[in-house]
Amino acid sequence: MSGVKVDLKDNGPILISGDIVLNDGEGNPIDTGGKACIALCRCAETTNSPFCDGKHKDCNYSAKDRA
Ligand code: FES
């Protein structure tokens, strides 16, 4: 069975794994490099948007709520 798994990491990125199709706000595809798992930034400090580049650690990102 195929599917998509989404994990919200505490004070970190959103991990998405599975059969991923990622589009921008206009519906244009974003290249995920064929990866089976991607990490999307939610701290807004990444220099590789929309992907996490680890900057959440440098800025001590703290999610307001635990999802
Ligand atoms: S969540 Fe990792 S750089 Fe933003």
Side-chain angles (χ1 to χ4, degrees), residues 12-13 40-46 51-56 61:
L40 297 180
C41 175
R42 65 179 176 148
C43 75
E45 295 295 328
T46 183
F51 303 105
C52 171
D53 66 359
K55 292 283 190 311
H56 60 272
Y61 172 66

Side-chain angles (χ1 to χ4, degrees), residues 8-22:
L8 283 82
K9 304 307 288 183
D10 285 344
N11 304 320
I14 301 167
L15 301 182
I16 304 173
S17 59
D19 191 13
I20 302 165
V21 175
L22 183 63

